Amino acid sequence: QVHLAESGGGLVQAGDSLRLSCKSSGGTLSAYVLAWFRQAPGKEREFVAYITKSGRTTYNTNIVDGRFTISRDDRTVILQMTSLRPEDTAIYYCAADLTLYGVDPADFGSWGQGTQVTVYS
């Protein structure tokens, strides 16, 4: 497992942008598949995007609709979010695993503590 810590959340108006960052507290992330999930109040945690070790990206098109971009370097995974909507309000979590099994939360073994994103209209 790897220790992860998210930052960058906040309270923003609809249409604004936010840049979420997730860093490893020790060691490189280069061997890991990295992902972002989110969980809104009363809802299950849902997949947002992942990026493989080689940089291949996959998005939940039902959520992202071209508005979010995931990227990475050796110690950080970034989620750049634009054109935010009130329905994007959630706690955003980064996750990591050495193997890409799927996009269910159970497929990832390491998690950060989450960062709150609140979008008001």
Side-chain angles (χ1 to χ4, degrees):
Q1 288 191 346
V2 62
H3 294 284
L4 303 170
E6 302 94 336
S7 62
L11 175 66
V12 297
Q13 191 170 18
D16 285 352
S17 300
L18 274 177
R19 184 176 183 269
L20 305 184
S21 177
C22 174
K23 295 185 178 182
S24 167
S25 60
T28 177
L29 293 175
S30 60
Y32 291 84
V33 178
L34 303 172
W36 286 94
F37 288 77
R38 72 184 190 184
Q39 188 165 18
K43 295 188 177 181
E44 294 185 351
R45 193 167 298 189
E46 62 181 350
F47 166 71
V48 176
Y50 72 70
I51 185 166
T52 66
K53 291 172 280 189
S54 64
R56 178 174 60 87
T57 59
T58 296
Y59 296 92
N60 182 340
T61 55
N62 292 328
I63 293 174
V64 173
D65 194 21
R67 300 177 298 126
F68 298 176
T69 302
I70 188 171
S71 60
R72 65 182 295 164
D73 60 27
D74 281 351
R75 292 183 177 270
T76 308
V77 57
I78 300 294
L79 186 68
Q80 179 68 48
M81 304 187 294
T82 64
S83 302
L84 284 163
R85 305 165 180 165
E87 54 264 40
D88 295 317
T89 296
I91 299 174
Y92 284 71
Y93 298 90
C94 66
D97 208 282
L98 290 171
T99 303
L100 179 62
Y101 296 104
V103 296
D104 190 271
D107 293 326
F108 288 82
S110 298
W111 291 85
Q113 81 288 349
T115 186
Q116 177 71 49
V117 172
T118 304
V119 185
Y120 64 93
S121 58

